Amino acid sequence: MTQQQEMVQKSDGYDQAVISEAELELAVERKIEQEKTGTNVDPESGEYLDEIYDIVDAVVPRTDDPTLPAFTFRVIILGLGFNILLATVNTLFMFRTNYFSLNPFIGVLIAYPLGIIMSWILPTTKFWGGLTLNPGKFNHKEHALIYVACSTAAYPAYALYNIIGQKYQLYQADLTTVACVFFGIVTQCFGGNADGKLKLSRFSFFWIVTGIMFVWEFFPLFIAPIFVSISLLCYMAPKLSENSTIPHSYSAKVLRGLGSAAPNGGLGFLAISFDWSVVGYQAPITTPLWALLNQILGVWFMLYVVTPLVWVNNGFGKDFEMGTNPIDGPNGTGRFPLGFSLNSPALFDNNGTYVASRSLVDKATLTLKEATYNKLAPVRITAYFAVEYLASFIVFIAALVHVGLWYGADIWRRFRTAIRDPRHWGGFDLPWWGVILGLLLAVVSIIPIGTIQAISGQQIGLNVMSEFLIGLILPGRIAAVMSFKTLSYMSMYQGLLLVADLKLGHYLKIPPRAMFTVQLVGTILAVVINVFFSFNIYESFGRSEKEEYIVPGDATSGKIWKLQSAEPPAGWSATNFNVFLNAGAIWGAIGPARFFGPGSPYVATLWGFLVGFVAPFFPWVMHKFYPNGFWHLVNIPILAVFPVQVGAFRSDMITPLVLGIVVNYFIKKYQHDWWKKYAYVMSAAFDSGTAIAITVTFFAFTFNAEHQIILPYSKVQFADGEGCAPDYFLTCSGNYNYGSAFGNTYDLAEDAYCSSINFGGEAA
């Protein structure tokens, strides 16, 4: 070891047991560079290393106690127990209009006192080979492995979108449960801070805040859904006529298009939400403030500037006409209560009439029905959906360029280090070469996307680029495209999850074999639960009594699953599954060459690739001229990313930003000790209380499809969730929903007002 290496090791506290010679050499290079500049700022990223070291040192010991047991009986019981709980609950939450998930840190918080209790009550008797149920005091290595077991179940298998899409939405009855489970396990396994020092005061704080949030969430979830979305612009718009044949005034349509935040509604400009299941998806407390600002301000620009300009000016041809067919309007099927569609993942024919994506797919071969498509062509999407794809094209290329500019030299140095120091911690229609291609795409993407996630906490999806690639190679095959997307995306995602867990294990000196065992068992168990429970949830809603309008005379029309026709304001409309299926139709059945190629209305979205290549150079160049400025915080990939799917409530753009600024700027600056002790615990408590409330309200009021319980409609209980639709729709749809609850059957003839206006007559 050189003298410089010894000095660095001594001054920076590196433990030779966990750092290699090559890694120490890299640290020396950084130290020399820092001495040249006279500051402890990373020359590549601009990050303040002292602050990072302080944060890590506060929770991670630099030395190891090899006598501490890791893979114990307590880990097996608590890890598998919370794995099953999280897998079950989060599978249920996948079917919500706005996706929400129970954070794995909730399992970590609750496991700590349970682990201590088990260390008190379990016998210490040793069995064969020295095994024991109680090896002594509950320690941080056990706690970390329990977290890993929780994390493998915290986010349900992405393959569920594929499986549900084919089995239920495309009615592929011959898709067996065994095949579904195997596909889920394969896609999850490819690719494939808790230190046990939680204070009792934090634990008490967690349960108090959890209880408060549990009580509060009954208001937006059941008592007063208006708190999900308070859409201010809608209340300023002129009233709409009861005669659905009279078109909107231009001003009324624009105000509702901008102001409505409901699914199948508008963009949610100035809409406010007090529902943590909507607000919490942005992770405003746990996301670094600079990353949250990039994310929210970027969405504001794309959503409130680009999308409205495209919409009102028919930027893609007929954007202002999407969803305007009276059949789909407030006096028809009610699919688009505003009389038009903007915030929707739906497909439309060339006249703006809704088209069910499965009507384009041959059930026998799962390929495009050319004759049906030609009658409807060109198939269109909303301006919002198109701009979201534009942003996706920008994001992927921008991530590659951004990481190359800011971190390329560092990545290259680490690559050379890895070469010098080879030690390391140890029926879906997709052809074999598609599997290899999917894995290669994941390998190419994992470094740039992982780097963005490491510095910001935000992960950029690989799904659109994977669809684009395989759609060009296998056009017209929806199942193959969905399967390829699932495989490539999850290979990257699970790879990053594996790296994060191994990094945790490296910090806490957990044996790699124990870490890998927990990861593997936890992942497989979670997939099995995901598949079986999702089937049960989907089928529990039953089939609808009304036929869905698809194409007149189309044989695929018929009784559909109720979950596919659920009203989004009810909170359980399986939005993400519908988006996944419609994306499969766009990229798979129709194909990117036909949908985005020359002659397509959406060919202009391909300019996103050029924008994504050029835009990252601007903050990088500005940082070279002004190294002490803020340009290193401008992140183009995060600015361009859409954090929530089209078709969800869009009242999540103001409240998260306000909350993030309050907590991560004012409280962090002026009450730093409180922030350091309670901020992340508070976020976990918000998640926990909301998750419990969602689960209780679902099984108490929604789960039994024949006896659902709802409150009478009022000024805080609108049929569309926010009160933006015409008054007659709010009244009559409310009467229908309330009259159909509690096991009753609504009779329009007995409703004097609604029968007098022939409510729903346009759908006849």
Side-chain angles (χ1 to χ4, degrees), residues 3 88 144 188 227 274 314 359 379 466 494 527 551 642 646 654 656 752:
Q3 184 178 5
T88 303
Q188 288 295 100
F227 287 116
F274 295 96
N314 288 313
S359 69
V379 169
S466 61
Q494 289 297 110
V527 169
V551 178
F642 267 62
V646 59
I654 294 179

Side-chain angles (χ1 to χ4, degrees), residues 12-258:
D12 287 351
Y14 287 108
D15 184 353
Q16 183 62 32
V18 295
I19 186 169
S20 68
E21 192 80 13
E23 289 172 318
L24 198 56
E25 182 179 334
L26 181 61
V28 170
E29 294 179 13
R30 284 181 175 273
K31 196 75 174 179
I32 293 173
E33 185 66 29
Q34 290 159 15
E35 289 173 353
K36 287 180 180 178
T37 60
T39 178
N40 200 20
V41 177
D42 189 305
E44 296 295 330
S45 66
E47 296 170 342
Y48 290 86
L49 300 180
D50 285 334
E51 182 179 357
I52 295 174
Y53 292 153
D54 288 343
I55 293 172
V56 174
D57 286 340
V59 294
V60 177
R62 294 196 181 190
T63 57
D64 182 28
D65 181 358
T67 64
L68 290 179
F71 191 64
T72 66
F73 176 75
R74 294 182 296 232
V75 169
I76 295 173
I77 298 300
L78 295 178
L80 293 184
F82 284 110
N83 180 282
I84 294 171
L85 174 64
L86 288 169
T88 303
V89 172
N90 286 338
T91 299
L92 170 66
F93 292 166
M94 288 184 76
F95 294 94
R96 284 185 53 77
T97 302
N98 273 65
Y99 179 73
F100 181 79
S101 64
L102 199 58
N103 196 295
F105 288 108
I106 293 169
V108 174
L109 287 167
I110 301 175
Y112 178 70
L114 293 179
I116 293 176
I117 293 172
M118 293 179 74
S119 70
W120 291 344
I121 64 176
L122 288 177
T124 58
T125 306
K126 292 188 177 182
F127 304 98
W128 59 93
L131 297 177
T132 178
L133 300 180
N134 188 355
K137 185 179 178 180
F138 185 66
N139 66 76
H140 65 271
K141 293 186 179 182
E142 294 175 283
H143 206 180
L145 286 176
I146 292 171
Y147 164 75
V148 172
C150 293
S151 69
T152 59
Y155 306 101
Y158 193 74
L160 284 185
Y161 294 119
N162 215 132
I163 293 166
I164 293 295
Q166 291 184 226
K167 187 176 181 67
Y168 292 103
Q169 295 178 311
L170 294 176
Y171 303 100
Q172 190 178 346
D174 59 345
L175 192 60
T176 66
T177 302
V178 173
C180 293
V181 171
F182 182 75
F183 181 70
I185 291 174
V186 168
T187 55
Q188 288 295 100
C189 288
F190 268 126
N193 264 354
D195 67 345
K197 296 180 180 178
L198 182 68
K199 303 296 184 182
L200 181 61
S201 59
R202 288 180 182 172
F203 192 69
S204 300
F205 177 80
F206 169 79
W207 283 113
I208 292 171
V209 176
T210 295
I212 294 172
M213 182 57 72
F214 169 74
V215 173
W216 165 251
E217 278 297 315
F218 270 82
F219 285 88
L221 292 174
F222 182 66
I223 299 171
I226 189 67
F227 287 116
V228 175
S229 174
I230 300 176
S231 305
L232 301 178
L233 282 188
C234 282
Y235 310 141
M236 305 176 190
K239 294 292 184 181
L240 300 180
S241 169
E242 292 180 2
N243 186 342
S244 62
T245 62
I246 298 177
H248 291 285
S249 69
Y250 182 82
S251 61
K253 183 172 181 178
V254 170
L255 280 175
R256 281 178 167 79
L258 290 175

